[in-house]
Amino acid sequence: MIGKINAIVLEAIQKFNPNINSIHINNNILSLNNENIDLENFNLESLFESYQLKKDLQNMDAETFFNIIKLNAITILSNETGEI
């Protein structure tokens, strides 16, 4: 279920900012260039709960947005497992 939500959220974000269209999601694996992020335990919607990312998102490039997701996903995973 979370994979479908993440795909819908990414699609909406890409409609809002076409600069992010180079980010792809398949089977809940987010990818940009040759780097992948497994979003198994991460909901992209959660990015918009903790701070006002929407304001910055309009002018953001794909690499910056991908790095924000990566940092947040790593944080969630490390909090769940106790490892970094």
Side-chain angles (χ1 to χ4, degrees):
M1 183 66 164
I2 195 167
K4 188 170 188 165
I5 292 169
N6 285 339
I8 291 169
V9 170
L10 180 61
E11 183 180 334
I13 291 168
Q14 289 173 329
K15 285 180 182 176
F16 181 72
N17 180 349
N19 293 332
I20 296 175
N21 285 346
S22 57
I23 297 176
H24 303 282
I25 192 165
N26 187 20
N27 293 327
N28 214 24
I29 304 291
L30 199 70
S31 61
L32 176 66
N33 303 323
N34 293 326
E35 191 169 0
N36 298 314
I37 303 170
D38 186 348
L39 299 179
E40 179 182 352
N41 298 317
F42 186 72
N43 183 338
L44 287 176
E45 283 184 311
S46 67
L47 290 174
F48 301 101
E49 294 173 1
S50 58
Y51 50 88
Q52 294 295 318
L53 182 63
K54 287 182 183 180
K55 291 179 182 179
D56 296 327
L57 187 60
Q58 186 173 12
N59 299 315
M60 197 171 293
D61 63 21
E63 186 175 346
T64 301
F65 186 61
F66 189 83
N67 286 332
I68 289 170
I69 294 169
K70 181 169 59 174
L71 289 172
N72 280 275
I74 288 169
T75 301
I76 295 293
L77 181 60
S78 68
N79 286 339
E80 289 177 356
T81 64
E83 299 177 10
I84 294 182

